[in-house]
Amino acid sequence: MTAQPPIGRLTIRRPDDWHLHLRDGAMLRAVLPHTTAHFARAIIMPNLTPPVVTTADARAYRDRILAALPAGARFTPLMTAYLTEGTDPDDLARGQAEGVLTAVKLYPAGATTNSHGGVRDLAKVRPALERMQAIGLPLLVHGEVVDPEVDIFDREAVFIERHLQPIRTDFPELRIVCEHVTTQDGVDFVLDQGDGRVGATITPQHLVLNRNDLLVGGVRPHYYCLPVVKRERHRLALRAAATSGDPRFFLGTDSAPHPVHAKETACGCAGVFNARVALACYAQVFEEEGALDRFEAFASLNGPAFYGLPVNEETVTLVRGAEDLPERLPVPGGDDVHVFRGKTVPGWRVEG
């Protein structure tokens, strides 16, 4: 039997990014064009300093994003509120009704960048969760415990057992996205939910890296993110889930820029800036798994279906071939940002 020649071009509906950090100010203006070049919409994370905690905050942040759009860009930021123990359920409902809020983000206090104002006691956010369940406003979960006695590589599994499963039991109609799922445990949790109310985003870095890439031969700070990359068996579980065609898994880059000086230091920040290369990385994974025919569903169809939004009518085309990428993105008035996989380009690139 003659082997089929490799596909040289791949055209899909224009994708959306269901987990994105844009920061603010000069950083926002520097990184935004790399998302708008490829994605039509994105769920915008609210962990600024100070965080985006109210509808008014989200509206103001949306205005700053729209003001920073490159000329001619067609892009819709989908805003989220940062859940706190003082969140007003009426404000969340108003934000949704006014078309400002698309979702609410749960950060356990201290779990990741700018999360110190997050939730410490889930009992104190029950009124907000009850209202969100009633009005169909999704909860986006950074699923890690912060208990210092729990190994960092086990934080996701412990969070699922201690917190996520009880939330699911107490609020069975609440729509939940397990953000940047990183383990077999996370994949299994999603697969065990049979009613379509639980989904998960998967990042490119967790599909291509394991903890050896981070630690063997020296610490690579630009591969450090939270949740941290895990064992190889977890990476393989993520690849199987992403490429399975299951509509509960969809694209979320978790692109999270930090200045180089904040990464290459004694106590570096967690985050990977991948917006520039995310689609190429995903396409390479799907090709390696023999699943390019299911790439469009993961990138462009599953997310809109979960959020109840229309599929984008425009398309993007990926072509086979290397792309010469800089390792750093300059930020006017500040330090550069390291580009994930810069100079180590996967075998695909976005045409144009």
Side-chain angles (χ1 to χ4, degrees), residues 266-322:
C267 187
C269 292
V272 170
F273 173 63
N274 62 35
R276 180 66 180 82
V277 300
L279 273 187
C281 290
Y282 283 122
Q284 184 69 21
V285 168
F286 274 73
E287 180 178 41
E288 290 168 357
E289 298 295 324
L292 277 176
D293 58 323
R294 294 191 285 273
F295 180 49
E296 184 178 47
F298 175 81
S300 310
L301 308 180
N302 296 349
F306 185 88
Y307 280 91
L309 295 172
V311 173
N312 298 311
E313 293 298 327
E314 294 180 323
T315 62
V316 297
T317 297
L318 293 99
V319 296
R320 184 178 299 283

Side-chain angles (χ1 to χ4, degrees), residues 27 258-264 328-337:
M27 182 69 80
H258 289 285
V260 167
H261 79 265
K263 296 286 291 180
E264 298 177 358
R328 293 190 174 193
L329 171 71
V331 178
D335 199 352
D336 295 350
V337 172

Side-chain angles (χ1 to χ4, degrees), residues 83-86 106-109 118-127 129 163:
L83 185 65
T84 74
E85 293 173 8
L106 167 60
Y107 291 105
V119 176
R120 299 181 186 277
D121 183 355
L122 284 169
K124 294 182 179 179
V125 299
R126 287 184 67 90
L129 298 181
H163 303 300

Side-chain angles (χ1 to χ4, degrees), residues 132-152:
M132 291 165 60
Q133 176 175 247
I135 64 178
L137 187 61
L139 175 69
L140 315 183
V141 178
H142 181 114
E144 292 189 287
V145 298
V146 295
D147 185 338
E149 295 182 358
V150 176
D151 189 286
I152 191 170

Side-chain angles (χ1 to χ4, degrees), residues 89-296:
D90 291 337
D91 182 65
L92 297 182
R94 184 165 51 251
Q96 183 195 45
E98 293 175 358
V100 178
L101 294 180
T102 299
V104 176
K105 182 63 181 281
L106 167 60
Y107 291 105
T112 190
T113 303
N114 298 338
S115 65
H116 53 276
V119 176
R120 299 181 186 277
D121 183 355
L122 284 169
K124 294 182 179 179
V125 299
R126 287 184 67 90
L129 298 181
E130 289 170 355
R131 181 65 67 84
M132 291 165 60
Q133 176 175 247
I135 64 178
L137 187 61
L139 175 69
L140 315 183
V141 178
H142 181 114
E144 292 189 287
V145 298
V146 295
D147 185 338
E149 295 182 358
V150 176
D151 189 286
I152 191 170
F153 292 101
D154 298 328
R155 284 181 170 186
E156 183 172 292
V158 174
F159 182 90
I160 291 169
E161 179 182 355
R162 288 185 185 176
H163 303 300
L164 191 52
Q165 188 59 64
I167 290 173
R168 180 77 174 122
T169 299
D170 292 347
F171 303 97
E173 297 182 9
L174 179 64
R175 300 181 67 79
I176 298 172
V177 178
C178 301
E179 300 273 43
H180 44 47
V181 66
T182 65
T183 61
Q184 178 75 68
D185 310 82
V187 169
D188 289 344
F189 176 80
V190 175
L191 293 176
D192 287 344
Q193 314 307 309
D195 60 2
R197 290 190 172 90
V198 177
T201 57
I202 304 178
T203 78
Q205 58 267 27
H206 290 102
L207 290 172
V208 302
L209 302 176
N210 63 28
R211 64 187 190 179
N212 281 0
D213 296 304
L214 174 65
L215 298 170
V216 172
V219 176
R220 292 170 176 79
H222 298 293
Y223 288 170
Y224 173 56
C225 57
L226 287 173
V228 69
V229 293
K230 304 295 197 302
R231 291 179 180 270
E232 176 66 359
R233 71 179 182 89
H234 295 301
R235 187 183 77 93
L236 295 178
L238 296 177
R239 288 168 76 100
T243 61
S244 67
D246 191 308
R248 291 170 289 185
F249 298 100
F250 37 93
L251 184 156
T253 67
D254 193 20
S255 185
H258 289 285
V260 167
H261 79 265
K263 296 286 291 180
E264 298 177 358
T265 185
C267 187
C269 292
V272 170
F273 173 63
N274 62 35
R276 180 66 180 82
V277 300
L279 273 187
C281 290
Y282 283 122
Q284 184 69 21
V285 168
F286 274 73
E287 180 178 41
E288 290 168 357
E289 298 295 324
L292 277 176
D293 58 323
R294 294 191 285 273
F295 180 49
E296 184 178 47

